[in-house]
Amino acid sequence: MKTSFLKKALEGVSPQTKKFVRRQGEFAVRLHDLMEECGMSQRQLAEKLGKKESYVSRVLSGSANPTLKTMVEFEVALGQDIFTIPYDGKAFSQGRHCRTALIEPGQVCSYDY
């Protein structure tokens, strides 16, 4: 049986690009879910962020590539975390302070300032 054109095209996509597209979509879905939980419209979120509603729309559609800083701005505006970063605590040198909360299978770390 012949391999379809689409299947051949997908085989040429790098693992990094595949993961990026998946994570971008996951971020957009999580953002949308939190907006619904908060009863917040795109316009209200854009106003709270000081950004254009069209930008929020692009993020929600997965067509924008927000920076980590912008992702955190979304979290602050919604009052909830959109994502967590698992962390096992091994990389910290002495003298650094970190609050951790155990989650499965690892830990989430945030720095104390």
Side-chain angles (χ1 to χ4, degrees), residues 12-65:
V13 176
S14 73
Q16 292 87 357
T17 299
K18 288 177 183 178
K19 186 167 187 168
F20 171 77
V21 170
R22 188 182 84 245
R23 296 290 289 170
Q24 191 173 30
E26 291 168 351
F27 180 82
V29 169
R30 175 81 172 126
L31 178 59
H32 182 268
D33 290 347
L34 289 175
M35 287 172 60
E36 278 190 348
E37 283 179 28
C38 295
M40 192 177 292
S41 69
Q42 287 184 32
R43 175 170 287 154
Q44 291 168 324
L45 181 56
E47 288 173 359
K48 199 164 187 179
L49 291 167
K51 299 194 182 294
K52 293 183 178 184
E53 185 178 353
S54 61
Y55 176 72
V56 173
S57 177
R58 288 194 321 274
V59 171
L60 286 167
S61 71
S63 63
N65 183 16

Side-chain angles (χ1 to χ4, degrees), residues 47-110:
E47 288 173 359
K48 199 164 187 179
L49 291 167
K51 299 194 182 294
K52 293 183 178 184
E53 185 178 353
S54 61
Y55 176 72
V56 173
S57 177
R58 288 194 321 274
V59 171
L60 286 167
S61 71
S63 63
N65 183 16
T67 64
L68 180 58
K69 181 181 179 198
T70 302
M71 291 174 166
V72 171
E73 289 172 353
F74 277 101
E75 289 183 322
V76 170
L78 292 166
Q80 297 186 53
D81 288 345
I82 295 172
F83 59 92
T84 59
I85 300 173
Y87 179 71
D88 65 7
K90 294 178 184 174
F92 275 105
S93 63
Q94 289 184 347
R96 283 187 153 167
H97 302 284
C98 178
R99 294 185 316 237
T100 57
L102 185 63
I103 62 167
E104 295 301 326
Q107 292 180 335
V108 175
C109 178
S110 61

